[in-house]
């Protein structure tokens, strides 16, 4: 009896006689090692240098120029993300419902929408920032609302695309089952299709949260950089990323910046883990 | 002894016992047809001969597969040399997404042929042998994907011939083709057997009857009957073979 | 309700229209006042004395993007191929998680990393301040890695197994089959991944501004500082007024045109995918 392992990953015996293959294998392996080292170095550097600089005063409720607290920025991040999502998520999901459930495939309107979404997705964030500054700031000044509105436009194509993919992945069988019971299209959408697509939509929203948390350029000139706790949606506020940028701008890139980088990295990792769990559920629960 | 001898072969995919005690011998310069209902292990047998089964997770082989008397699963067998000697044509034409020339030159290049003049010669010779040279000689640099299905399959045969194999494994080579292309491939197979040992898997019994010298009937991973094609189709000894070739099942 | 869904779907189109409109309304007059040719090809940017030439920034953006691609694309493609076709199955999940982490790190954190690690390193090795085209290219190359890796991996894995098996059946090694049969079949996807990387690199503002030096002069070498289009806006938007503000909007229009060009190339590449 012989066991034959899969060829991938195992080095075939005769490789040594084939120099090009050996070279290619060395090349991909080296690339993977370099990438792994980069990830380890970037993450390790921030974790090691950031974690030991965390101190209670960095989390004081009130920001002063002595404690350079990031708590207002953390709260600002939460508020900004929540508000941006509140604006973008319904719009994005409803657009996806239209595209996946109502629109005729390949109609001119659908093509225009796709093109628009792709264009939006490709616009650099600083251009969004400029646009927000020119439009929303004139309406509301440097404010949470202006920042969130700008951010919402950035997140829209992302939420729309992931939600549409999730909706299209729902088997037609489910819909037909609903129609068979005499339900109208709207009822089928809300009672059957959307719940079935929920994990995929959620995964897209988590991605959007990640984008929102990491954004700087679109916010500096829309929500401003006030280090204080926001009092209303019309007050200026900074998110953690903007906080870090502001620290750099003020030439303060010592302990506070390291600690903030660490906190941002932890948030990123947590969001990634969450998205992993959700999409794992998505795959596992496909027949649920 | 044949060119390819299979002795008491058992093949497992994990728990699944795909081939059960298969023994058969493919004579040199002849066509052996493997017939039987789908899922009976014919294609698995082909992939055992050139060891493409090695790719499948949990695949296990017992018994012997001999090429010129040498066990292809033996320690002395270099897998790349084996696959050079045993060419394969797949069920669905699978030209690479590159030029016709590069498709045919892929194999020789893999085995270290670099000189352009040598490659030119091999490409022309292989395309001629696969009877497609006249159709493509003016567009060798054109994409292989723009050929028709039948042309693609003949290109794949040319590609297989370019490494100068001794045997050809053909896995339902005409199942994706129209009748005219099918006739061309069959004619080609009859021509090629003058130089190569061919094993062809087919669903089409007329095809087996038309082109092959020997036929093996497979059922549920076992060889039910093996013999000269004319004899199998005129005087089958096993009831199940008779039922199958007269179309009573499968 | 259908009307509500339709209206929501139209918001995207509306947004694109509004963005174009606002950029043009704010940018075009500046184009006109400065003179389009003078604006695009002028090599002096000195808003204080009315000199608005963005040629240095256009070149700066092109240089760092080219540098980022030169560094990040080969590494990313090879790593993507590794994950798709060479990686032991058990390590693949870990590899993907690492790439996702790299993708999720905020640009400002990358910028900070560049500032405290790459800039001092460049300064130690090559002298000078360390803020340069090279440093920015390295940092951007690192930032586009996850995009290139995951798109490459996905497209390599999407190639039908028949292509790989066909190559093996000819006696090709695993490496040759992957690089010379599978990878060519995945080329449209890989190209799209690199184009996405180009888009990200050319549009990145925060990280670049922290490590590029930001001198608005035509860069004379890889070790010199430079300013990109994005940096130009980030740096001066806070205090710009009147024509200066218009010139920044015009800078954004220029940047927008560049990213649109990348998008169009991407769409063309996708259209050419062989059937």
């Amino acid at each position: 009896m012989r066991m034959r392992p899969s060829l991938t990953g195992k080095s075939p015996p005769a490789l040594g006689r084939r120099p090009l293959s050996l070279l290619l294998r060395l090349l991909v392996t080296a690339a993977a090692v370099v990438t792994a080292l980069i990830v380890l170095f970037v993450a390790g550097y921030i974790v090691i240098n950031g974690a030991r600089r965390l101190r209670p005063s960095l989390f004081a409720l009130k920001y002063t120029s002595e404690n350079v607290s990031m708590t207002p920025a953390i709260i600002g991040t939460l508020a900004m993300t929540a508000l941006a999502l509140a604006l973008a998520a319904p719009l994005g999901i409803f657009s996806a419902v239209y595209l996946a459930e109502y629109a005729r495939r390949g109609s001119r309107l659908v093509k225009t929408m796709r093109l628009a979404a792709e264009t939006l997705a490709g616009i650099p964030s600083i251009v969004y920032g400029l646009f927000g500054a020119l439009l929303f700031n004139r309406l509301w000044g440097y404010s949470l609302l202006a920042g969130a509105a700008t951010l919402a436009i950035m997140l829209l194509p992302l939420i729309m695309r992931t939600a549409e993919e999730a909706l299209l992945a729902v088997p037609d069988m489910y819909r037909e089952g609903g129609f068979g019971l005499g339900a109208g299209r709207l009822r089928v959408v809300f009672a059957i299709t959307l719940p079935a697509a929920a994990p995929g939509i959620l995964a897209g929203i988590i991605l959007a949260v990640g984008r929102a948390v990491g954004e700087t350029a679109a916010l500096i000139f829309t929500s401003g950089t006030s280090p204080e706790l926001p009092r209303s949606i019309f007050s200026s506020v900074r998110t953690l990323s903007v906080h870090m940028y502001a620290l750099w701008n003020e030439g303060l890139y010592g302990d506070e910046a390291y600690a903030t980088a660490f906190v941002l990295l932890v948030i990123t990792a947590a969001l990634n883990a969450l998205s992993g769990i959700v999409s794992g559920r998505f795959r596992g629960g496909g027949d649920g | 002894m044949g060119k390819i001898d299979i002795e008491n072969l058992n093949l497992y995919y994990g728990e699944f016992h795909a081939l059960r005690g298969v023994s058969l011998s493919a004579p040199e310069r002849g066509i052996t047809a493997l017939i039987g209902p789908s899922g009976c292990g014919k294609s698995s047998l082909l992939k055992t001969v050139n060891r493409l089964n090695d790719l499948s997770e949990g695949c296990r082989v017992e018994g012997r597969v001999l090429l010129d008397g040498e066990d292809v699963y033996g320690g002395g067998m270099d897998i790349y040399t084996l696959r050079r000697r045993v060419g394969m044509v797949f069920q669905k034409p699978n030209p690479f997404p590159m030029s016709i020339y590069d498709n045919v030159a892929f194999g020789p290049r893999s085995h270290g042929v670099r000189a352009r003049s040598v490659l030119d010669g091999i490409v022309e010779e292989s395309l001629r042998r696969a009877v497609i040279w006249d159709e493509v000689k003016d567009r060798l640099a054109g994409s292989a994907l723009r050929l028709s299905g039948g042309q693609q399959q003949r290109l794949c045969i040319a590609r297989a011939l370019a490494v100068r194999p001794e045997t050809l494994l053909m896995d339902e080579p005409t199942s994706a083709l129209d009748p005219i292309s099918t006739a061309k491939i069959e004619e080609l197979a009859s021509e090629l057997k003058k130089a190569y040992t061919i094993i062809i898997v087919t669903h089409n019994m007329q095809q087996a009857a038309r082109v092959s010298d020997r036929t093996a009937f497979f059922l549920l991973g076992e060889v039910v009957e093996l013999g000269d094609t004319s004899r199998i189709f005129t005087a089958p000894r096993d009831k199940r073979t008779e039922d199958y070739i007269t179309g009573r099942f499968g | 309700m259908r009307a509500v869904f339709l209206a929501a779907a139209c918001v995207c189109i509306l947004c694109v229209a509004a963005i174009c409109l606002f950029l043009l309304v704010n940018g075009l007059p500046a184009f006109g006042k400065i003179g389009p040719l003078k604006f695009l090809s002028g090599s002096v940017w000195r808003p204080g004395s009315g000199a608005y030439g963005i040629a240095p920034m256009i070149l700066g953006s092109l240089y760092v993007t080219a540098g980022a691609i030169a560094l990040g694309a080969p590494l990313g493609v090879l790593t993507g191929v590794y994950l798709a076709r060479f990686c032991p199955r058990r390590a693949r999940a870990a590899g993907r998680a690492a790439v996702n982490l790299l993708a999720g790190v905020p640009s400002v954190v990358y910028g900070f990393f560049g500032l405290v690690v790459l800039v001092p390193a460049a300064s130690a090795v090559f002298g000078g301040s360390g803020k340069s085209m090279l440093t920015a290219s390295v940092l951007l190359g690192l930032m586009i890695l996850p995009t290139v890796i995951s798109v490459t991996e996905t497209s390599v894995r999407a190639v039908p197994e028949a292509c790989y098996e066909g190559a093996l059946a000819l006696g090709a090694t695993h490496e040759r089959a992957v690089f010379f049969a599978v990878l060519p079949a995945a080329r449209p996807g890989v190209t799209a991944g690199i184009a996405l990387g180009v888009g990200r690199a050319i549009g990145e503002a925060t990280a670049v501004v922290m490590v590029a030096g930001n001198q608005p002069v035509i860069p004379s070498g890889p070790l010199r500082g430079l300013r990109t289009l994005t940096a130009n806006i980030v740096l001066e938007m806070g205090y710009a007024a009147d024509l200066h503000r218009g010139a920044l909007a015009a800078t954004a229009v220029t940047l927008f045109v560049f990213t649109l060009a990348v998008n169009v190339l991407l769409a063309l590449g996708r259209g050419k995918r062989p059937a």
Side-chain angles (χ1 to χ4, degrees):
Chain A
M1 191 184 89
R2 299 178 194 87
M3 295 288 289
R4 288 289 151 195
S6 148
L7 273 187
T8 48
K10 290 277 185 297
S11 188
L15 208 57
R17 286 199 281 120
R18 294 171 169 80
L20 181 64
S21 295
L22 188 65
L23 181 72
L24 290 173
R25 179 168 285 262
L26 284 178
L27 213 58
V28 277
T29 314
V33 168
V34 169
T35 305
L37 287 178
I38 289 175
V39 178
L40 285 179
F41 184 56
V42 173
Y45 185 87
I46 291 167
V47 167
I48 289 167
N49 289 295
R52 67 188 165 87
R53 288 179 164 90
L54 290 176
R55 48 169 200 266
S57 67
L58 282 173
F59 296 98
L61 196 58
K62 199 162 166 48
Y63 173 96
T64 63
S65 50
E66 279 90 57
N67 68 14
V68 201
S69 167
M70 64 173 101
T71 303
I74 292 175
I75 293 168
T77 307
L78 289 175
M80 180 69 72
T81 308
L83 191 55
L85 277 183
L87 294 169
L91 275 178
I93 295 170
F94 280 11
S95 309
V97 167
Y98 180 78
L99 287 176
E101 308 287 325
Y102 288 88
R104 232 171 356 99
R105 248 142 265 291
S107 76
R108 180 168 293 175
L109 186 65
V110 170
K111 275 189 192 147
T112 317
M113 279 168 195
R114 287 250 154 72
L115 188 67
E118 265 169 45
T119 311
L120 276 186
I123 295 177
S125 46
I126 182 63
V127 174
Y128 281 106
L130 192 82
F131 168 71
L134 294 173
L135 173 60
F136 300 130
N137 273 29
R138 282 189 193 158
L139 299 173
W140 307 308
Y142 281 129
S143 63
L144 179 57
L145 184 59
T150 312
L151 205 48
I153 303 178
M154 287 182 71
L155 302 182
L156 187 57
L158 179 67
I159 295 178
M160 191 170 139
R161 204 194 57 236
T162 46
E164 190 192 351
E165 276 167 18
L167 286 170
L168 289 176
V170 175
D172 271 337
M173 212 168 76
Y174 289 18
R175 296 184 184 92
E176 282 154 15
F179 291 130
L181 292 172
R185 185 169 280 280
L186 189 65
R187 207 173 146 64
V188 168
V189 165
F190 279 103
I192 297 174
T193 331
L194 275 177
I201 296 174
L202 194 58
I205 288 183
I206 295 171
L207 267 181
V209 171
R211 284 280 298 273
V213 170
E215 187 50 50
T216 353
L219 295 179
I220 309 168
F221 306 118
T222 53
S223 65
T225 54
S226 160
E228 312 284 341
L229 271 175
R231 247 165 269 109
S232 77
I233 57 169
F234 296 107
S235 34
S236 168
V237 67
R238 60 165 70 159
T239 65
L240 261 188
S241 290
V242 174
H243 177 62
M244 234 189 124
Y245 180 81
L247 291 178
W248 167 74
N249 224 4
E250 291 156 25
L252 292 172
Y253 37 88
D255 291 3
E256 305 83 6
Y258 277 104
T260 314
F262 173 70
V263 174
L264 278 170
L265 188 72
V266 169
I267 294 174
T268 306
L271 285 173
N272 276 349
L274 193 63
S275 130
I277 293 168
V278 168
S279 55
R281 204 93 2 118
F282 186 33
R283 255 176 268 124
D287 53 358
Chain B
M1 194 186 79
K3 178 79 181 173
I4 297 171
D5 292 292
I6 294 164
E7 295 175 356
N8 195 23
L9 182 77
N10 283 288
L11 177 70
Y12 304 85
Y13 294 115
E15 295 292 295
F16 179 60
H17 196 169
L19 291 173
R20 300 160 186 268
V22 169
S23 293
L24 69 84
S25 160
E28 188 145 16
R29 293 176 214 282
I31 299 185
T32 304
L34 311 183
I35 61 170
S38 14
C40 66
K42 302 169 309 233
S43 299
S44 301
L45 182 66
L46 286 194
K47 287 189 168 183
T48 310
V49 176
N50 70 352
R51 289 185 57 180
L52 269 189
N53 266 338
D54 288 15
L55 298 175
S56 311
E57 205 77 22
C59 174
R60 214 168 79 232
V61 175
E62 290 168 12
R64 300 209 297 173
V65 179
L66 304 173
L67 178 65
D68 283 335
E70 192 188 350
D71 189 353
V72 304
Y73 285 92
M77 181 62 77
D78 172 55
I79 193 167
Y80 307 110
T81 311
L82 167 71
R83 289 178 185 155
R84 190 194 60 67
R85 293 173 62 192
V86 183
M88 185 161 193
V89 179
F90 294 79
Q91 188 170 353
K92 220 175 135 232
N94 60 345
F96 303 133
M98 50 184 83
S99 73
I100 292 169
Y101 185 98
D102 287 336
N103 261 278
V104 184
F106 189 96
R109 281 177 176 146
S110 298
H111 295 282
V113 180
R114 276 188 232 317
R116 184 77 191 191
S117 58
V118 180
L119 283 175
D120 286 348
I122 295 175
V123 168
E124 176 169 350
E125 179 201 313
S126 309
L127 288 169
R128 279 190 193 282
R129 288 195 160 204
V131 202
I132 189 179
W133 171 254
D134 290 330
E135 292 160 60
V136 301
K137 64 180 180 211
D138 299 323
R139 45 172 171 155
L140 290 177
S143 167
L145 299 180
R146 278 200 283 276
L147 297 174
S148 74
Q151 289 175 322
Q152 287 190 0
Q153 194 62 302
R154 276 179 285 146
L155 174 67
C156 289
I157 294 174
R159 190 175 72 186
L161 296 178
V163 293
R164 310 226 158 96
E166 298 151 32
T167 72
L168 268 187
L169 309 173
M170 303 178 112
D171 187 359
E172 299 189 37
T174 60
S175 66
L177 303 182
D178 61 272
I180 295 170
S181 304
T182 300
K184 278 190 185 159
I185 303 269
E186 286 180 10
E187 202 178 312
L188 175 58
S190 309
E191 187 59 34
L192 289 173
K193 80 170 184 186
K194 292 174 191 161
Y196 305 90
T197 305
I198 298 177
I199 303 182
I200 183 168
V201 165
T202 178
H203 262 129
N204 179 333
M205 263 158 310
Q206 286 75 33
Q207 183 168 69
R210 278 193 301 265
V211 302
S212 72
D213 304 299
R214 288 178 53 88
T215 296
F217 172 56
F218 276 72
L219 198 58
L220 300 171
E222 282 177 275
V223 177
V224 172
E225 191 166 352
L226 169 71
D228 286 344
T229 300
S230 51
R231 207 270 298 150
I232 291 264
F233 279 92
T234 51
R237 288 178 192 144
D238 194 292
K239 179 80 172 58
R240 291 169 292 173
T241 315
E242 189 183 343
D243 286 348
Y244 184 72
I245 60 177
T246 52
R248 247 167 281 172
F249 79 84
Chain C
M1 218 29 207
R2 182 197 166 96
V4 175
F5 294 140
L6 178 61
C10 289
V11 169
C12 250
I13 304 177
L14 208 71
C15 288
V16 173
I19 291 174
C20 291
L21 189 75
F22 265 80
L23 288 183
L24 291 178
V25 163
N26 285 279
L28 279 191
F31 259 109
K33 237 176 267 171
I34 301 161
L37 203 67
K38 236 175 137 187
F39 178 68
L40 291 173
S41 64
S43 59
V44 180
W45 175 269
R46 211 173 290 134
S49 44
Y52 297 102
I54 61 164
M57 280 66 97
I58 293 178
L59 286 175
S61 278
L62 293 180
Y63 287 157
V64 290
T65 303
I69 294 300
L71 295 168
L75 187 58
V77 169
L78 286 171
T79 307
V81 169
Y82 178 84
L83 278 181
R85 281 299 191 167
F86 287 85
C87 187
R89 185 178 289 191
R90 244 171 274 165
R92 191 176 287 151
R96 260 195 221 129
V99 173
N100 285 341
L101 184 70
L102 215 51
V105 173
S107 9
V108 69
V109 175
Y110 274 112
F112 178 71
F113 175 82
L115 195 65
V116 293
V117 176
L118 298 181
V119 168
S123 170
V125 175
F126 303 109
S129 74
K131 294 187 181 176
S132 64
M133 182 198 300
L134 182 72
T135 317
S137 297
V138 170
L139 186 63
L140 282 175
L142 208 157
M143 292 176 71
I144 64 166
L145 259 188
T147 312
V148 178
I149 292 174
S150 44
V151 179
T152 302
E153 195 208 340
T154 313
S155 26
V156 167
R157 289 173 71 83
V159 173
E161 201 59 13
C163 190
Y164 173 68
E165 289 195 346
L168 283 197
L170 292 169
T173 58
H174 172 66
E175 289 77 12
R176 198 174 253 281
V178 169
F179 275 90
F180 296 107
V182 176
L183 197 54
R187 195 164 56 196
V190 174
T191 315
I194 294 175
L196 280 176
V198 170
R200 182 158 187 201
I202 209 165
E204 179 53 47
T206 320
V208 169
V209 97
M210 293 166 86
V211 300
N214 303 325
Q215 299 90 321
V217 289
I218 290 179
S220 51
L223 297 177
R224 301 300 181 84
L226 52 73
R227 181 187 285 196
T228 62
L229 291 167
T230 52
N232 200 35
I233 306 171
V234 171
L235 290 166
E236 302 188 359
M237 187 61 197
Y239 59 86
D242 307 326
L243 183 59
H244 187 192
R245 203 174 172 88
L248 292 183
T251 309
V253 171
T254 315
L255 182 62
F256 191 33
V257 169
F258 273 108
T259 50
L260 274 187
V262 173
N263 268 3
V264 168
L265 288 179
L266 195 68
L268 285 181
R270 208 176 297 149
K272 263 197 227 142
R273 183 174 303 188

